[in-house]
Amino acid sequence: MNVVEELPDDCTTLDLTDPRTFQRYDRNEMWRRLRAERPVFWHPPGSGRPGFWVLTRHADIMEVYRDNRRFTSERGNVLTTLLAGGDSAAGKMLAVTDGARHKRLRNVMLRVFSPRFLESVEQRVREMARRLLGGAVEQGGCDFARDVAEKIPMGTICYLLGIPESDQDLLLKLTKSALSSDHENASESSAVWARNEILLYFLDLLDGVRKNPREGIISGLANGREDEGKLSDEEIVFNCYSLIIGGDETSRMSMIGAIPALAEHPAQWALLRSGEVGVDTAAEEVLRWTTPAMHFGRTAVEEVTIGSHTVRPGEIVTLWNSSANRDERVFADPDRFLLARTPNRHLTFGYGPHFCIGAYLGRAEVAAVLDALRSRVVDLAVTSEPRRVHSNFLDGISSLPVSFTAG
Ligand code: HEM
């Protein structure tokens, strides 16, 4: 899809900070070569930004993910913030906080993500997927990204947080410009503006739920008990933001990516439809195959040896999930889309102390779409060239015209 150029002989010369690199080349071949030839390498500095380590093998990546003593997330956890020298939410937002503060924040967040509450959210996700897909099938097709996938994660997070339905479109627009970009020429300043708008929105909402408590996480956090580690307003706002940023586009990219994967692998689609492969197992393979968050990163706080390389304190280490998930040392036939694959030790949700707190929901959302597809659709096809997102972090499709034949 959209592959235009041949890879250079030495893939370490490619610029992994440039979103165009991921559109120009066959990324899976690039990662395969790097895993084989240069599994750990130093990406040189360039135009005012520092250099960083690149890790491509599953085992090395897991090792760093699990070690939040020698590697910190507090100086950023994605290339954009790592290269800029830090994240303004460090020490306040779960994903960029470590140590005792991270444990405290994570416990408070986990409490509001109670299993009973999540079950009700999952039920809504299934209804939403069936309703949206039903509408698309009746029309014989749609832009799956815009008409189905766009609505599910944001609808789910809004319900989770207690955000009124009428505000969902606004938040969707802001999230899109805050994190990824549909267009190559979108500026960093509009992303910063969008992030600030989201934070301001949550401050207003917080004020509202203090006056009129209602269902949802923001109310739970706002009205938490002192003795249970009540969060400050700033912490609440940053962590609500992190749910929206963490949970919208990632899940969206996985459910969109399921469609071309199924269309290109009719035998796998048949297995899903017949029920020979369960939706939960199939969802895991879709998550591995699509790997929406291509990388995360850390900064070393002491000297660490990785393979034959010495990483020094203060150096940035990037962990490429998109490579780990195709590592032939872990996955048999990694370049085959096999819905029945078990075990499936993908790193799509990371690993260790920062393991995705929304993994249950991400899985439920992908499974709900697969379930709706298999019960409503006999045949599916991608009808014109999909448009890919422009990012060095997020991988996926932002526009996907499809046709559906009803079952
Ligand atoms: C953490 C991926 C869905 C919220 C993470 C991490 C990954 C990830 C790789 C680890 C980051 C790190 O180690 O630095 C994904 C993918 C998803 C998804 C691929 C969907 C397919 C969600 C959802 C939510 C969410 C639905 C919220 C409702 C978070 C939060 C963290 C996180 C708050 C930080 C956890 C911590 O640092 O303790 N996610 N995520 N994610 N994710 Fe997700």
Side-chain angles (χ1 to χ4, degrees), residues 279-298:
V279 281
D280 293 337
T281 309
E284 293 305 310
E285 181 67 344
V286 166
L287 287 160
R288 181 189 76 92
W289 191 253
T290 51
T291 317
M294 285 195 283
H295 77 267
F296 273 97
R298 303 286 188 259

Side-chain angles (χ1 to χ4, degrees), residues 65 73 77 94-95 102 106 113 157 160 242-243 246-247 250-251 254 287 292-293 296 298 321 347-350 353-359 361-362 365:
Y65 265 134
S73 297
N77 72 338
L94 201 56
H102 175 255
R106 194 158 165 119
F113 271 88
I157 297 166
L160 199 77
S242 87
L243 294 181
T250 46
S251 309
S254 269
L287 287 160
F296 273 97
R298 303 286 188 259
N321 300 331
L347 296 181
T348 298
F349 294 115
H354 286 280
F355 179 77
C356 177
I357 207 168
L361 277 182
E365 288 172 12

Side-chain angles (χ1 to χ4, degrees), residues 83-271:
L83 296 177
D87 190 312
S88 56
K92 293 169 225 144
M93 189 164 87
L94 201 56
V96 283
T97 301
D98 275 313
R101 290 170 82 134
H102 175 255
K103 260 199 201 120
R104 170 181 154 262
L105 278 178
R106 194 158 165 119
N107 284 341
V108 175
M109 299 290 279
L110 282 173
R111 206 163 38 236
V112 284
F113 271 88
S114 71
R116 194 185 54 83
F117 183 46
L118 283 183
E119 264 168 38
S120 76
V121 179
E122 194 175 355
Q123 180 62 30
R124 279 182 72 100
V125 171
R126 276 198 228 109
E127 283 162 17
M128 217 183 325
R130 263 185 242 130
R131 180 172 44 79
L132 289 166
L133 197 80
V137 170
E138 264 167 37
Q139 292 181 15
C142 63
D143 181 331
F144 189 80
R146 187 194 57 208
D147 302 326
V148 181
E150 192 163 284
K151 312 240 170 19
I152 297 174
M154 192 50 99
T156 309
I157 297 166
C158 287
Y159 175 70
L160 199 77
L161 286 165
I163 291 173
E165 260 185 67
S166 52
D167 292 346
Q168 287 185 20
D169 284 347
L170 167 73
L171 280 163
L172 188 62
K173 205 166 129 232
L174 292 173
T175 312
K176 273 187 177 176
S177 28
L179 189 62
S180 83
S181 170
D182 285 358
H183 304 288
E184 212 168 310
N185 50 5
S187 69
E188 181 53 23
S189 62
S190 62
V192 172
W193 175 83
R195 271 172 236 151
N196 286 336
E197 285 295 302
I198 298 175
L199 292 175
L200 289 174
Y201 175 86
F202 282 128
L203 264 183
D204 267 358
L205 195 66
L206 185 59
D207 202 37
V209 298
R210 284 237 163 82
K211 289 174 191 141
N212 298 305
R214 60 171 104 115
E215 256 236 285
I217 282 184
I218 196 155
S219 246
L221 294 176
N223 301 302
R225 284 171 30 197
E226 277 313 331
D227 60 338
E228 288 183 333
K230 192 175 169 170
L231 304 188
S232 68
D233 282 8
E234 205 185 15
E235 285 172 326
I236 296 176
V237 164
F238 271 126
N239 285 292
C240 288
Y241 170 79
S242 87
L243 294 181
I244 229 166
I245 290 286
D248 175 40
E249 296 217 277
T250 46
S251 309
R252 186 138 52 89
M253 292 304 139
S254 269
M255 55 183 83
I256 299 171
I259 303 288
L262 292 168
E264 285 161 22
H265 300 87
Q268 297 299 312
W269 170 227
L271 288 176

Side-chain angles (χ1 to χ4, degrees), residues 32-106:
R32 193 191 61 70
R33 283 206 219 158
L34 286 170
R35 279 192 306 274
E37 294 158 18
R38 301 285 301 279
V40 179
F41 73 92
W42 178 250
H43 190 292
S47 52
R49 57 153 179 79
F52 53 93
W53 292 98
V54 176
L55 270 54
T56 56
R57 285 196 187 161
H58 193 279
D60 291 334
I61 292 175
M62 267 181 61
E63 213 38 58
V64 177
Y65 265 134
R66 84 153 56 91
D67 187 350
N68 67 342
R69 191 180 59 79
R70 295 187 300 170
F71 294 97
T72 180
S73 297
E74 297 213 348
R75 286 182 232 162
N77 72 338
V78 291
L79 269 175
T80 318
T81 48
L82 285 162
L83 296 177
D87 190 312
S88 56
K92 293 169 225 144
M93 189 164 87
L94 201 56
V96 283
T97 301
D98 275 313
R101 290 170 82 134
H102 175 255
K103 260 199 201 120
R104 170 181 154 262
L105 278 178
R106 194 158 165 119

